């Protein structure tokens, strides 16, 4: 019988977990709908992929009583060239949004160079935030391995609102210049917000000259760690790979998605030019397991191991839309670093349950 993994609740801070294969279902879709229904004045949504019928219905109902604004990844345009990504472009979001009667509230974001508007968050009434690793799809809210957070904080809401307004700017794609460009300044760091005993620090990437604020924060946190639990769709960023390699002899375990790792690994299992030694964790180390997921399909039934999370020293949690990949640096992404032993304990319980499931019923590593 699967270990029961329950939501985490603290004043103004809730976490919900999902793993269909491990029998973990914290009713993430229902909680997201409730969050939307709680809007009284404004609701701003930035989401990579949006197709879940219950969420679309809730957004439509909200549009009749509050000011609703929605941005989503619009894919490539004819003017956009090149760019290869591990995470495939969503199909059908635009059609689903139009069919739900939300077209007039929605703005597609076409990011240059094959990059992604990969954010996943909502800001409600200027005082509440919903975020996490999952898209608002059947797969993201019901089938995959994901985690979601609902946070009451005017301070954090204001930070995310500023990011949302940036996505709406007509020249937003120009914030994604070529590497080394002098056209834009790096984003300003954000302070840690205290929610009772929980500290929360937000990080964003906007593709601005590949300023690696999120990656730098992850690498610095790993450099201090003695115990690491990694539950990630993919890991391919050179800096993060090197930081993990330094922890090879520490207390480290991980859960991966084999199909996504296969794309980013060094040959013969991928196309990366990165030193193959840096993918040690995906080459048969028994401390790492992989989900028996399936390759991307056009249907809304993808079952990825889709988390992007780390738990460090039983006291720090890193999570959000940010995959630990080189490509994430030039996407639009959001990430939280949470300082709380209580939150880390909840994520550890989730990790342990999923790890146990894939130890028994997982996919092989290295990926086939």
């Amino acid at each position: 019988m699967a270990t029961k993994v329950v939501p985490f609740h603290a004043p103004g801070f809730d976490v919900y977990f999902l793993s269909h294969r491990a029998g973990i279902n914290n009713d993430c879709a229902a909680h997201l709908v409730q969050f939307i229904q709680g809007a009284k004045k404004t609701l701003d949504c930035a989401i990579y992929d949006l197709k879940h019928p219950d969420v679309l219905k809730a957004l439509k109902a909200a549009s009749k009583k509050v000011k609703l604004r929605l941005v989503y990844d619009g894919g490539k345009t004819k003017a956009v060239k090149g760019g290869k990504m591990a995470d495939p472009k969503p199909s059908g979001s635009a059609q689903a949004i139009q069919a739900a009667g939300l077209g007039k509230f929605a703005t597609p974001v076409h990011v240059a160079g094959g990059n992604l508007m990969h954010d996943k968050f909502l800001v409600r009434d200027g005082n509440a935030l919903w975020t996490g690793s999952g898209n608002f799809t059947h797969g993201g809210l019901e089938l995959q391995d994901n985690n979601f957070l609902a946070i009451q904080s005017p301070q954090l809401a204001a930070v995310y609102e500023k990011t949302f307004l940036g996505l709406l700017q007509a020249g937003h794609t120009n914030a994604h210049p070529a590497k080394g460009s002098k056209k834009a300044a790096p984003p300003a760091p954000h302070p840690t917000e205290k929610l009772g005993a929980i500290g929360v620090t937000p990080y964003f990437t906007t593709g601005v000259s590949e300023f690696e604020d999120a990656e730098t924060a992850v690498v610095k946190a790993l450099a201090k760690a003695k115990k690491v639990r990694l539950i990630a769709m993919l890991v391919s960023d050179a800096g993060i790979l090197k930081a993990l390699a330094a922890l090879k002899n520490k207390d480290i375990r991980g859960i991966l998605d084999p199909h996504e790792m296969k794309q980013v690994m060094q040959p013969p299992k991928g196309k990366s030019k990165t030193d193959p030694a840096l993918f040690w964790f995906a080459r048969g180390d028994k401390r790492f397991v992989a989900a028996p997921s399936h390759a991307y399909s056009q249907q809304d039934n993808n079952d990825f191991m889709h988390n992007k999370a780390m738990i460090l020293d039983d006291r720090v949690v890193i999570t959000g839309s940010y995959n630990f990949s080189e490509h994430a640096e030039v996407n639009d992404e959001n990430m939280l670093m949470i300082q709380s032993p209580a939150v880390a304990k909840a994520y550890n319980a989730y990790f342990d349950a999923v790890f146990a499931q894939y130890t028994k019923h997982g996919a092989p590593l290295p990926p086939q």
Side-chain angles (χ1 to χ4, degrees):
M1 179 179 293
T3 302
K4 186 174 178 60
V5 175
V6 299
F8 173 85
H9 298 298
F13 195 99
D14 299 294
V15 185
Y16 306 103
F17 300 105
L18 173 66
S19 175
H20 181 72
R21 284 176 291 257
I24 300 167
N25 182 357
N26 289 172
D27 296 321
C28 300
H31 286 294
L32 173 55
V33 167
Q34 290 171 4
F35 183 91
I36 294 168
Q37 291 173 337
K40 293 179 172 57
K41 295 181 179 179
T42 62
L43 187 66
D44 290 331
C45 175
I47 186 67
Y48 174 66
D49 199 0
L50 170 59
K51 294 194 289 285
H52 195 289
D54 293 350
V55 178
L56 289 164
K57 183 179 178 181
L59 289 171
K60 179 60 178 177
S63 73
K64 298 176 182 179
K65 64 175 184 175
V66 306
K67 180 181 178 181
L68 172 67
R69 292 181 294 187
L70 167 66
V71 298
Y72 65 97
D73 185 83
K76 297 180 181 179
T77 64
K78 291 182 180 179
V80 175
K81 296 180 180 179
K84 185 173 180 60
M85 60 205 160
D87 195 9
K89 288 284 186 185
S91 61
S93 285
Q95 295 90 330
I97 289 166
Q98 291 294 333
L102 294 168
K104 66 180 179 180
F105 308 104
T107 302
V109 176
H110 304 278
V111 182
N115 303 317
L116 310 176
M117 200 304 292
H118 199 247
D119 282 311
K120 309 178 199 311
F121 67 84
L122 298 98
V123 180
R124 187 184 70 190
D125 296 333
N127 58 29
L129 169 71
W130 175 283
T131 189
S133 63
N135 289 299
F136 302 162
T137 63
H138 171 60
L141 290 165
E142 298 183 54
L143 298 179
Q144 299 169 9
D145 301 343
N146 275 314
N147 69 97
F148 302 91
L149 305 94
I151 304 172
Q152 299 286 327
S153 168
Q155 293 81 11
L156 282 174
V159 172
Y160 273 77
E161 183 68 15
K162 183 177 180 180
T163 297
F164 182 86
L165 293 175
L167 295 171
L168 285 177
Q169 295 299 313
H172 170 66
T173 56
N174 295 328
H176 294 255
K179 187 173 183 179
S181 170
K182 303 291 186 181
K183 293 181 180 179
H190 299 287
T192 298
E193 299 296 339
K194 293 292 290 185
L195 306 173
I198 302 172
V200 184
T201 311
Y203 295 89
F204 301 90
T205 66
T206 58
V208 177
S209 302
E210 290 198 23
F211 289 109
E212 301 172 351
D213 295 276
E215 185 234 21
T216 299
V218 173
V219 170
K220 286 183 177 179
L222 285 170
K224 301 175 183 177
K226 294 181 173 60
K227 176 182 178 182
V228 176
R229 296 295 181 261
L230 169 70
I231 180 165
M233 187 177 186
L234 73 165
V235 186
S236 62
D237 176 85
I240 294 174
L241 287 171
K242 291 175 182 177
L244 289 173
L247 295 164
K248 187 174 182 179
N249 296 322
K250 300 290 187 179
D251 182 0
I252 184 169
R253 289 187 178 186
I255 306 169
L256 306 168
D257 185 275
H259 295 282
E260 294 304 307
M261 285 304 302
K262 183 177 180 179
Q263 295 185 61
V264 301
M265 286 176 66
Q266 187 266 350
K269 297 301 180 184
K271 299 180 180 180
S272 173
K273 296 180 181 179
T274 302
D275 181 354
L278 292 176
F279 291 107
W280 60 273
F281 55 90
R283 295 188 181 278
D285 191 299
K286 297 303 182 183
R287 295 173 295 175
F288 286 76
V289 298
S293 59
H294 298 84
Y296 174 79
S297 76
Q298 295 290 333
Q299 305 301 316
D300 190 13
N301 58 1
N302 291 293
D303 63 350
F304 306 125
M305 206 306 296
H306 198 256
N307 284 289
K308 305 97 169 54
M310 294 184 186
I311 310 143
L312 309 180
D313 294 330
D314 298 327
R315 59 183 177 80
V316 174
V317 174
I318 300 169
T319 189
S321 76
Y322 184 87
N323 284 306
F324 304 121
S325 67
E326 197 73 28
H327 202 281
E329 296 167 10
V330 288
N331 292 339
D332 290 300
E333 305 277 6
N334 61 283
M335 186 184 86
L336 293 175
M337 189 170 292
I338 304 161
Q339 299 89 32
S340 166
V343 174
K345 182 178 180 180
Y347 273 84
N348 272 326
Y350 174 59
F351 177 94
D352 290 344
V354 178
F355 188 90
Q357 174 69 16
Y358 297 156
T359 298
K360 295 179 180 179
H361 306 292
L365 286 175
Q368 304 299 306

